[in-house]
Amino acid sequence: MTSPEADAPARPNRAPLAITVAIVAGLVMAFFAFAGFYADVLWFDQLGYLNVLTTQWIASAVLFVIGFLGMALPVWLSIQIAYRSRPVYAKLNAQLDRYQQVIEPLRRLAMYGIPALLGLFAGVSAASRWETTLMWLNRTPSGTTDPQFGLDISFYLFDLPFLHSVLGFASAVLLIALILSAATAYLYGAIRISGREVIISKAARVQIAIMAALYLLLQAASLWLDQYTTLTDDNGLITGAGYTDVNATIPGRAILAGIAVVVALLFLITAIMGRWRLPIIGTVLLIVTSLLIGSLYPWVVQRFQVVPSAKTLEAEYIQRNIDLTREAYGLSDVEEIAYNAKTEAEPGALRADAETAANIRIIDPAIVSDSLEQLEQFRQYYQFPDQLDVDRYTIDGKSQDAVVAVRDLRLSGLSDAPDWVNRTIVYTHGYGMVAAYGNQRSVDGQPVFLESGIPSTGSLGEFEPRVYFGEDSPEYSIVGAPEGAKPVELDYPAGGDGTEQTYTSFAGDGGPKLDNLFKKLVFALKFQSEQIFLSDSVTDSSQILFDRSPLDRVQKVAPYLTLDSDPYPSVIDGKIVWIVDGYTTSANYPYSTKLSMSSAINDAQTTAESFALDDVNYVRNSVKATVDAYDGTVTLYAWDDEDPLLSTWQKIFPTTVKPMSDISGDLMSHVRYPSDLFKMQRSIMGQYHVTDAGSFYSSDDAWTTPKEPTLPKEDKTLQPPYYLTMQMPGQTAPSYSLYSTFIPDQKGESTRDVLTGYLAVDADAGNKTGERADSYGKLRLLTLPNDRIPGPGQVQNSFDSDPAVSQVLNLLKQGQSKVRNGNLLTLPVGGGLLYVQPVYVQSTGGTSFPLLQKVLVGFGDQIAFEDTLDEALNVLFGGDSGAQAGDGGTQPPGEPVPPTDGETTPPTDGETTPPTDGETTPPTDSTTDAQAKALLEIANEALKEKQAAMADGDWAAYGAADKKLADTLAQLMSVLGE
């Protein structure tokens, strides 16, 4: 008789299917990971920096193995010893019996699984320390010693971070091993609690005592090293060891290290003798001593000895902080110049500064981007950055400041061509460089271009205009074609009406080649696009371009650099080249004050960046990097061969950084002093321009960077530094410079906005191949008499509140126009400080861009407001400035507004000026009102005509309307007696 169970169908075994699915899923995930790794290999290999990637991988892999074994083996060994030396016949309580019953089936898995899991975490942590480890292995002496211990600075940059990492890792391993071995011993009866008595077996006692001794020895070594960390710690007054640290904290830590060694020896004695009394007493003594010597004694010294006489006792250590902070930030050689600035604008005052006046930049790179969009964009698939760059070129034998930008690709403008082929294979690159004279404007206020158009024409000569690698390039593009094939990459619009298109094929070596199916599959997985694998447009001659941003490319090939936030394009040796400044930084320079790099560079033109190492106290512009805009070639040049950090990295990644001697003369002529470094230096100089310890302690002369004056009062964003070609006091000729100003640093809402200092640096590296100009990087600090020179905020207030200026601006604001104040520049000319601000007018209609209509200038408490800078300077300086500005050839219509000192003189009651020959008697008040009203209506009508012409792109009508408006305003000024 057959049972029902026998007749039932057999249940299918799903285990093989599940295992198969798991294996397949694992293989797919592994291949995805491999695709990413292999794509990186191809990318680095194509650029010639494969050793950078392999060095990181090898170092990380070796450290992972060391970290894994360094954690897993000691933990496994300690558990094994504790288990194997357990008492065989231990009498356990009922609770431990239940614990053993639960754990015993999993004991073998736990004994191997727990160490392996901990080893995995430790390996990942150790692998992340590859930079610290390689720097220690390849450390380079600096040749400078610290003033406290007499050690080379390299000890703090390389040795101390590495030794702290090793001790921290070893301490964690021993502590975890000690805890797990004690838990194992307790679980298996080697440690028992009987009433108030703790019974420990001999084997457990020896193991625990030895491990405790080793742990204490590590803590002794850590305490000893902590003596040196006082030189990089903030003690409240300064960074570095102060009086209390030197006389209490440092000796105390040495004593505590010695006590820890003694207690460790007591634990070793316990392992032999079997008595716990001595190590327990020693441990308690160590804890009490650490409280007394490590905390209480320094507090007593600080409270009762230092505080009453801090200015005297701390003077030596404050001086150390001043000297080493200035050294760490490259400020030790700042030339300080007392500048007794004038406040009266006298005729001919600019005669000695004629070259500087001719180079004053009136085109604001933060405003004219909209102008380039309208005048030079040409197609919706092109774009310009919001913030343009300032460079200089030699035109007709003279250096000329220029506002520059590349015409980059914008895929978001391709609303009519969204498909993959268009976005990846057809629209692949931007086209051309646009450059405008910094000191010129057209009659109607547009920039005057020295390089423009498609194809590019101008004064920059012949160069490769195609931009495959830019700040806003697509994520990836596929370029190149077989020889003889029809080009498919859109090059630029051509033909008289722009309806025709020209096409090209990329002919460089800019990315990995897709010359086989495997590579196509790899990149299809990387970018999650099956079209890369399936499309017949992707041939064996195709290359894939990715990681195209200049900053991204330099960062990948030089991961040890912190990059300047502002790469800029230049035409160099027949190519468009991006120039990127790279910094080596550290937070371990002794006695140097730490600075938040992201906060220091944050201003009206730069948003706060996210840095891997934000708090730094040492920085060097050690590398100048270039990225070819056509083929993406990355070249690194050593700029500071005395920097120990760069020397160390050159040992780690040999042959990746070329010497300065390889820099061509053309490239050298466009290298500049980096703005982010200058921002950090000005942040430090606000306090560290004071070099006397007593004055520094009193903080009676602290400075700060002014707020951006064109922003609302509640906006506390800092004013950015500016590049200008000018002649500083102490110079014999103008040079390309970067400058910033200082005002008093006062707490609270109210700040006296008067100039106290003016910091400038020579930013021009010269034009000789492989040879940097001696003047490059020379910092000059002008110290100004207090309360005499108005700061940017005061000057902006004078501009905005002046009645004559306000009257004209209000007219310009009527209708659908808005007025935009440009950058407020400050120049040390004419024996004083000259302020210059361009004023733009922009329609609020759909199609609009800013036009430079007026220029504000100020000197002392006097201002002038004219159509051109040249006119404004002449009016400001009594009719003859003694120099001619760069826009002196511009002849806009209209009469000038006379300079004012912020006040207007009211008319005398009942009096009129008698007429002279050829003049008419001024009209009465009623007549004046009627005439003014009529002229205002005409001006308003002209303004509307001007805006309509701008919207239609009818520039002839625009010029006629602009002339009509200017003539009307001139008549209005005459009627009003201005």
Side-chain angles (χ1 to χ4, degrees):
M1 184 174 176
T2 305
S3 67
E5 290 78 1
D7 294 335
R11 180 177 297 177
N13 186 358
R14 294 187 176 88
L17 178 61
I19 294 173
T20 302
V21 170
I23 292 174
V24 171
L27 290 174
V28 170
M29 293 176 62
F31 189 76
F32 268 96
F34 170 78
F37 286 130
Y38 187 57
D40 281 340
V41 169
L42 294 174
W43 188 90
F44 278 91
D45 187 43
Q46 182 273 326
L47 268 181
Y49 289 90
L50 184 58
N51 66 320
V52 174
L53 182 65
T54 55
T55 298
Q56 294 179 64
W57 282 0
I58 293 172
S60 297
V62 170
L63 287 174
F64 177 84
V65 172
I66 292 174
F68 179 85
L69 297 177
M71 174 65 79
L73 284 179
V75 170
W76 175 81
L77 187 60
S78 65
I79 294 174
Q80 287 292 325
I81 292 174
Y83 175 74
R84 294 181 182 277
S85 61
R86 70 191 185 283
V88 179
Y89 302 106
K91 184 178 181 181
L92 305 178
N93 58 41
Q95 188 174 12
L96 284 179
D97 277 336
R98 287 195 297 271
Y99 285 161
Q100 282 192 8
Q101 291 174 7
V102 172
I103 293 174
E104 190 60 28
L106 302 173
R107 174 179 58 78
R108 185 176 297 275
L109 176 63
M111 283 187 171
Y112 290 95
I114 291 176
L117 182 62
L118 292 171
L120 183 64
F121 287 116
V124 172
S125 176
S128 67
R129 298 280 185 173
W130 68 269
E131 291 189 33
T132 302
T133 305
L134 290 182
M135 289 174 72
W136 177 73
L137 291 172
N138 296 275
R139 57 194 181 278
T140 303
S142 68
T144 305
T145 57
D146 77 85
Q148 178 61 36
F149 298 103
L151 298 174
D152 191 273
I153 299 297
S154 60
F155 172 80
Y156 300 91
L157 299 178
F158 307 118
D159 298 73
L160 200 56
F162 174 76
L163 293 176
H164 272 303
S165 296
V166 172
L167 287 175
F169 180 84
S171 296
V173 170
L174 273 172
L175 185 60
I176 292 172
L178 178 60
I179 293 172
L180 290 177
S181 62
T184 303
Y186 175 73
L187 187 62
Y188 288 96
I191 299 177
R192 290 179 292 136
I193 301 176
S194 178
R196 299 177 60 184
E197 184 179 5
V198 178
I199 303 173
I200 304 176
S201 69
K202 179 179 179 181
R205 182 195 75 219
V206 171
Q207 182 181 2
I208 292 173
I210 290 176
M211 294 179 70
L214 293 175
Y215 181 77
L216 282 168
L217 288 175
L218 290 176
Q219 301 316 299
S222 182
L223 285 167
W224 186 265
L225 285 180
D226 284 346
Q227 296 178 87
Y228 306 106
T229 61
T230 57
L231 271 62
T232 57
D233 289 341
D234 186 349
N235 65 20
L237 175 63
I238 59 171
T239 296
Y243 181 89
T244 300
D245 295 313
V246 170
N247 293 279
T249 303
I250 291 175
R253 289 177 179 175
I255 293 172
L256 288 174
I259 295 175
V261 171
V262 172
V263 176
L265 293 176
L266 293 178
F267 272 99
L268 291 177
I269 292 174
T270 294
I272 300 172
M273 304 293 295
R275 297 184 177 274
W276 290 95
R277 184 185 301 257
L278 289 178
I280 291 174
I281 293 174
T283 302
V284 173
L285 177 64
L286 178 61
I287 295 172
V288 172
T289 305
S290 66
L291 294 175
L292 293 176
I293 298 179
S295 301
L296 182 60
Y297 178 60
W299 179 83
V300 170
V301 172
Q302 179 68 27
R303 181 68 179 84
F304 297 103
Q305 186 174 357
V306 175
V307 171
S309 307
K311 189 172 184 179
T312 302
L313 295 179
E314 298 283 18
E316 176 186 356
Y317 309 103
I318 292 174
Q319 195 62 53
R320 292 180 180 180
N321 175 250
I322 293 172
D323 295 340
L324 290 178
T325 296
R326 289 170 65 102
E327 173 64 30
Y329 288 95
L331 296 167
S332 56
D333 295 326
V334 174
E335 181 183 359
E336 189 170 321
I337 302 170
Y339 190 57
N340 189 21
K342 299 177 182 179
T343 56
E344 294 295 327
E346 301 172 353
L350 299 185
R351 190 161 287 112
D353 298 294
E355 289 188 70
T356 298
N359 282 294
I360 295 175
R361 180 172 51 77
I362 56 174
I363 299 299
D364 185 351
I367 289 183
V368 298
S369 176
D370 290 342
S371 298
L372 267 63
E373 291 277 0
Q374 292 299 321
L375 302 174
E376 287 291 324
Q377 182 178 348
F378 294 111
R379 284 292 184 270
Q380 76 277 11
Y381 47 79
Y382 289 133
Q383 65 176 325
F384 291 99
D386 294 334
Q387 174 73 41
L388 308 187
D389 292 296
V390 178
D391 199 358
R392 71 277 189 206
Y393 290 90
T394 300
I395 308 297
D396 296 329
K398 293 184 179 180
S399 180
Q400 173 67 57
D401 288 3
V403 176
V404 301
V406 296
R407 189 183 290 104
D408 216 339
L409 188 63
R410 178 172 64 185
L411 290 181
S412 60
L414 298 176
S415 57
D416 297 332
D419 63 285
W420 181 86
V421 172
N422 273 310
R423 292 178 174 272
T424 307
I425 295 175
V426 177
Y427 294 92
T428 58
H429 60 278
Y431 192 94
M433 167 84 88
V434 175
Y437 289 94
N439 60 345
Q440 298 181 25
R441 45 154 283 189
S442 67
V443 173
D444 58 0
Q446 297 181 25
V448 177
F449 295 106
L450 60 89
E451 187 74 29
S452 62
I454 293 181
S456 296
T457 58
S459 304
L460 302 187
E462 296 293 328
F463 61 91
E464 171 57 63
R466 296 166 185 86
V467 180
Y468 284 89
F469 295 86
E471 293 180 286
D472 295 296
S473 296
E475 181 184 13
Y476 72 95
S477 295
I478 296 177
V479 299
E483 186 176 352
K486 181 180 179 180
V488 297
E489 298 173 42
L490 178 65
D491 203 18
Y492 59 85
D497 57 1
T499 57
E500 299 178 9
Q501 309 287 354
T502 61
Y503 293 86
T504 187
S505 291
F506 180 76
D509 183 15
K513 290 182 172 56
L514 302 176
D515 51 8
N516 58 55
L517 290 176
F518 183 72
K519 290 182 181 179
K520 294 176 184 178
L521 178 61
V522 165
F523 286 104
L525 292 175
K526 176 178 176 62
F527 293 107
Q528 299 182 24
S529 173
E530 72 282 358
Q531 299 295 334
I532 297 176
F533 185 76
L534 300 175
S535 175
D536 57 4
S537 298
V538 182
T539 69
D540 290 347
S541 299
S542 297
Q543 301 175 43
I544 184 166
L545 312 182
F546 61 100
D547 288 333
R548 301 165 74 176
S549 162
L551 289 179
D552 291 343
R553 293 179 79 79
V554 174
Q555 192 67 82
K556 287 187 72 171
V557 303
Y560 52 89
L561 292 177
T562 300
L563 301 183
D564 192 272
S565 60
D566 185 24
Y568 59 99
S570 291
V571 174
I572 297 169
D573 298 324
K575 300 179 291 185
I576 298 176
V577 172
W578 294 95
I579 300 177
V580 182
D581 286 284
Y583 309 114
T584 44
T585 61
S586 176
N588 299 307
Y589 201 91
Y591 275 106
S592 178
T593 295
K594 288 184 174 66
L595 177 73
S596 169
M597 190 171 179
S598 60
S599 298
I601 71 170
N602 185 30
D603 58 28
Q605 293 183 1
T606 306
T607 56
E609 298 284 326
S610 178
F611 297 105
L613 179 62
D614 190 34
D615 290 332
V616 302
N617 67 357
Y618 172 87
V619 60
R620 289 291 184 270
N621 178 207
S622 54
V623 170
K624 299 288 186 182
T626 62
V627 178
D628 191 314
Y630 182 74
D631 63 16
T633 300
V634 179
T635 309
L636 308 176
Y637 298 99
W639 193 248
D640 188 346
D641 54 9
E642 295 181 357
D643 176 33
L645 292 176
L646 178 61
S647 298
T648 295
W649 283 112
Q650 285 182 290
K651 296 176 184 177
I652 297 170
F653 300 125
T655 73
T656 58
V657 181
K658 294 184 177 181
M660 187 192 300
S661 58
D662 285 0
I663 298 180
S664 70
D666 201 5
L667 174 56
M668 189 71 77
S669 68
H670 291 279
V671 166
R672 71 187 189 188
Y673 198 86
S675 58
D676 284 357
L677 173 60
F678 186 75
K679 292 174 188 179
M680 288 188 280
Q681 290 176 322
R682 75 173 179 180
S683 181
I684 290 295
M685 281 299 290
Q687 186 175 7
Y688 285 88
H689 68 276
V690 177
T691 56
D692 175 71
S695 180
F696 184 94
Y697 177 82
S698 301
S699 297
D700 56 2
D701 191 23
W703 300 345
T704 188
T705 303
K707 306 298 186 290
E708 172 55 47
T710 62
L711 296 177
K713 180 180 179 181
E714 60 273 12
D715 194 326
K716 303 301 182 182
T717 306
L718 299 182
Q719 185 182 36
Y722 295 112
Y723 289 99
L724 291 173
T725 294
M726 63 180 180
Q727 183 174 337
M728 282 282 290
Q731 288 182 296
T732 57
S735 68
Y736 188 65
S737 305
L738 180 63
Y739 83 88
S740 186
T741 57
F742 293 106
I743 61 173
D745 185 12
Q746 294 178 246
K747 306 303 180 184
E749 293 295 325
S750 178
T751 300
R752 290 185 305 126
D753 199 299
V754 293
L755 280 192
T756 54
Y758 186 99
L759 181 66
V761 62
D762 291 352
D764 193 346
N767 57 11
K768 295 182 179 179
T769 299
E771 185 178 341
R772 182 173 55 205
D774 293 337
S775 60
Y776 174 87
K778 177 64 179 178
L779 287 150
R780 292 179 175 87
L781 176 65
L782 304 185
T783 57
L784 303 168
N786 291 333
D787 301 325
R788 285 184 51 191
I789 310 301
Q794 285 189 10
V795 172
Q796 189 67 60
N797 181 71
S798 298
F799 286 167
D800 295 341
S801 61
D802 183 86
V805 173
S806 298
Q807 193 173 38
V808 177
L809 292 180
N810 288 334
L811 286 173
L812 294 174
K813 291 177 183 177
Q814 289 186 5
Q816 292 186 333
S817 293
K818 62 180 178 180
V819 174
R820 299 176 65 182
N821 289 326
N823 43 208
L824 182 60
L825 306 178
T826 311
L827 295 97
V829 295
L833 276 302
L834 172 68
Y835 286 94
V836 177
Q837 183 175 56
V839 177
Y840 292 83
V841 178
Q842 183 171 359
S843 168
T844 57
T847 301
S848 68
F849 59 92
L851 294 171
L852 177 56
Q853 296 295 309
K854 294 286 183 180
V855 179
L856 282 160
V857 294
F859 193 92
D861 59 356
Q862 299 166 286
I863 67 173
F865 184 46
E866 305 299 330
D867 294 326
T868 67
L869 174 61
D870 194 58
E871 291 177 353
L873 293 177
N874 284 328
V875 171
L876 180 67
F877 289 97
D880 178 19
S881 66
Q884 186 174 24
D887 64 346
T890 307
Q891 299 297 331
E895 297 296 327
V897 177
T900 72
D901 56 2
E903 298 180 357
T904 55
T905 305
T908 306
D909 293 340
E911 295 183 1
T912 59
T913 304
T916 58
D917 294 340
E919 294 183 342
T920 58
T921 304
T924 62
D925 291 345
S926 60
T927 304
T928 300
D929 291 341
Q931 290 179 339
K933 184 176 180 180
L935 289 170
L936 282 174
E937 290 177 357
I938 296 173
N940 189 36
E941 181 183 3
L943 189 60
K944 292 179 180 178
E945 293 173 356
K946 182 178 176 181
Q947 292 167 346
M950 181 189 299
D952 296 338
D954 187 348
W955 300 113
Y958 178 90
D962 182 67
K963 185 178 187 306
K964 178 180 176 182
L965 176 61
D967 289 343
T968 304
L969 292 177
Q971 295 178 47
L972 178 62
M973 294 296 107
S974 178
V975 167
L976 296 176
E978 293 294 324

